[in-house]
Each structure stands twice: as C-alpha cells, then as structure tokens.
Amino acid sequence: MIVCICNNVSDRKIEQAVSNGTTSMAQLRECLAVGTCCGKCHSHAKQVLRECLSLQ
Ligand code: FES
C-alpha cells in the first residue's frame, strides 16, 4: 500500500529501509523523502515505521 502519495513510497519500501538499518522518521525522510512534500503522510509513515521496528 502507498503511504506517501507525493513521493510514491509504499509500506514495503519503508519495511526495506528498516531492514537496511533505518530506525527514525528523520532517516526515513533522508532515504525515501517520506513526508517532505504535503506532510499528510507523516503519522501513517510513523505508524508503519513503528510496526516494522517492532517486528525486528
Ligand atoms: Fe507524503 Fe505528501 S503524502 S508528503
């Protein structure tokens, strides 16, 4: 599912970033540009990040 429409970032991409060592929204923003346009995806992206980290 797409999390960030502006930058075409899916939950799968966030999952991959986490398995590559991403642990924070700041790092997600850096590597995938999540939330850098309209910002509406921020809370959903944060939730997906938290879920991925809890599965690690
Ligand atoms: Fe993510 Fe707009 S939907 S910045």
Side-chain angles (χ1 to χ4, degrees), residues 17-44:
V18 169
S19 60
N20 290 330
T22 298
T23 57
S24 68
M25 280 302 290
Q27 287 174 320
L28 261 193
R29 259 196 306 275
E30 241 171 67
C31 66
L32 299 176
V34 177
T36 57
C37 193
C38 73
K40 284 183 183 164
C41 60
H42 185 85
S43 61
H44 187 197

Side-chain angles (χ1 to χ4, degrees), residues 2-9 33-42:
I2 293 295
V3 174
C4 179
I5 297 165
C6 296
N7 296 306
N8 194 32
V9 179
V34 177
T36 57
C37 193
C38 73
K40 284 183 183 164
C41 60
H42 185 85

